[in-house]
Amino acid sequence: MPELPLVFEVGSLVAIVAVLLADLLIVARRPHVPSLRESGAWVGVYVGLALVFAALMLVFAGGDAAGQFVAGWLTEYSLSIDNLFVFFILMARFSVPKQIQQEVLMLGIVIALVLRGVFILVGAQLIEDFSWIFYLFGAWLVWTAVQQLREDDDADQEDGFVVRLLRRRVRFTDEFDGMKLRTTHDGVRHFTPLLVVLIAIGTTDLLFALDSIPAIFGITESAFIVFTANVFALMGLRQLYFLLGGLLERLVYLKYGIALILAFIGVKLVLHALHENELPFLNGGEHIAWAPEIPTWVSLVVILVAMVGATVASLVRLRRDEPVRTGAARGSE
């Protein structure tokens, strides 16, 4: 595990918090529906910040740490595609007004970061105390990859347990009142649907973290790198949401790329566990030499090939199917 200077870690966290606060202030002061150009520019800014951070890590902590950050950031960014699908579903289901969607997403992402931070600390402690946890993480990721391939794209999305419980116990209005969590209706104080949306985004993201956090721990054991990779991956999701719009629903092969990444890192975790832990029933309790460590650059290549390949294949199919959809639309007129 790479050694990171304390000054660099503290300075990085302060800078990240400052960027998040500035972003939150900008959104709060100017609520609007961003254009494609604006969204694309902001996505570029956050990608640029992540690359600058990787360069600084290269200078202050070395190539190994920088490589782990880039691989972890790309992994979290690719797995966060699922978050975007959830954002689209939640915005449509709760009929969130477009004018406040930016603020809702920003608050939801902040909640997700706090929950993930707790999850990362727990995961790092488990790894430090129980190195065999890598076997469980690896098996879980491989199983998740299989489930990703078997997932029915048309399956109905149901509200989570927390949201259903909240609906039964708390009085809600049917309409939003800007960004207010509570409002007065017929002289009685009610919560607005905003509370349900924020809780739904936060708790759903935590479920996705059950996959993504073990996945990035398969690349690095540094809790700092895991957290910063998550921050930089999630910070640009709001702009990516408006940039991609409905395109994600048409990238039909993305789930295969995500499944490949999860399966690869799952196997990598198991190999790492075999490399680090002694198995007394093999080789008389000695370390098993045939369980190699997969280098970070290999992980980086697999992640890039999986996501670029899945995206290109989806776009090729989209272009091939476009004349068919156009002809069908004309025939129905």
Side-chain angles (χ1 to χ4, degrees):
M1 186 169 65
E3 291 291 333
L4 300 170
L6 180 60
V7 174
F8 175 75
E9 291 187 355
V10 174
S12 299
L13 293 177
V14 171
I16 287 172
V17 171
V19 170
L20 285 173
L21 289 177
D23 198 356
L24 187 60
L25 182 61
I26 291 173
V27 171
R29 294 186 63 179
R30 187 171 170 261
H32 67 290
V33 181
S35 64
L36 290 178
R37 183 176 181 180
E38 179 185 348
S39 299
W42 276 108
V43 169
V45 167
Y46 278 119
V47 169
L49 286 175
L51 295 178
V52 168
F53 184 77
L56 291 173
M57 187 168 284
L58 176 63
V59 173
F60 289 99
D64 192 31
Q68 290 180 12
F69 169 77
V70 173
W73 169 60
L74 287 175
T75 298
E76 292 299 319
Y77 213 77
S78 59
L79 296 181
S80 293
I81 296 297
D82 281 345
N83 293 60
L84 290 183
F85 282 112
V86 172
F87 291 164
F88 285 124
I89 292 170
L90 291 176
M91 294 299 174
R93 173 173 298 163
F94 294 107
S95 301
V96 180
K98 289 187 177 181
Q99 289 296 326
I100 67 170
Q101 285 187 6
Q102 275 214 89
E103 295 171 276
V104 171
L105 288 174
M106 188 65 193
L107 289 176
I109 288 171
V110 170
I111 293 172
L113 284 174
V114 173
L115 295 176
R116 286 193 179 210
V118 175
F119 195 0
I120 289 167
L121 290 175
V122 173
Q125 192 61 47
L126 285 174
I127 288 171
E128 183 177 343
D129 296 339
F130 310 102
S131 58
W132 52 263
I133 200 74
F134 279 115
Y135 291 118
L136 298 181
F137 280 177
W140 172 261
L141 290 179
V142 172
W143 181 83
T144 304
V146 174
Q147 293 299 111
Q148 180 84 11
L149 294 177
R150 297 175 57 187
E151 188 177 70
D152 183 4
D153 293 333
D154 298 324
D156 293 333
Q157 300 289 332
E158 297 182 356
D159 292 333
F161 170 76
V162 176
V163 173
R164 294 197 304 271
L165 181 63
L166 197 63
R167 284 185 178 279
R168 290 197 298 265
R169 303 279 181 168
V170 180
R171 185 185 293 113
F172 286 97
T173 61
D174 294 327
E175 297 180 355
F176 287 82
D177 186 6
M179 287 297 294
K180 294 180 180 179
L181 290 175
R182 299 197 73 185
T183 188
T184 302
H185 183 69
D186 292 335
V188 180
R189 297 288 288 174
H190 292 69
F191 283 97
T192 68
L194 177 62
L195 178 63
V196 180
V197 174
L198 292 177
I199 291 175
I201 289 177
T203 54
T204 305
D205 179 83
L206 189 59
L207 292 178
F208 281 119
L210 292 174
D211 301 333
S212 63
I213 300 302
I216 192 173
F217 270 120
I219 295 172
T220 178
E221 296 181 40
S222 169
F224 174 77
I225 294 178
V226 171
F227 180 71
T228 52
N230 270 270
V231 171
F232 281 104
L234 289 178
M235 279 199 305
L237 274 190
R238 173 171 54 84
Q239 292 82 4
L240 198 60
Y241 170 89
F242 292 101
L243 178 64
L244 295 181
L247 179 62
L248 280 178
E249 298 176 359
R250 303 168 76 177
L251 298 182
V252 294
Y253 294 123
L254 268 181
K255 69 176 184 179
Y256 297 104
I258 293 173
L260 176 59
I261 293 172
L262 289 173
F264 168 77
I265 298 180
V267 172
K268 184 176 185 290
L269 280 171
V270 173
L271 290 176
H272 176 77
L274 288 172
H275 183 84
E276 294 293 328
N277 295 289
E278 296 182 354
L279 297 180
F281 52 88
L282 292 172
N283 276 358
E286 299 178 357
H287 283 290
I288 301 175
W290 49 261
E293 286 275 33
I294 298 178
T296 301
W297 68 266
V298 174
S299 302
L300 191 56
V301 169
V302 171
I303 294 164
L304 286 173
V305 169
M307 292 311 299
V308 172
T311 302
V312 170
S314 297
L315 293 176
V316 169
R317 176 171 171 176
L318 186 61
R319 176 174 292 185
R320 186 190 66 193
D321 294 345
E322 191 66 36
V324 177
R325 284 195 298 271
T326 303
R330 288 175 178 173
S332 62
E333 292 178 354

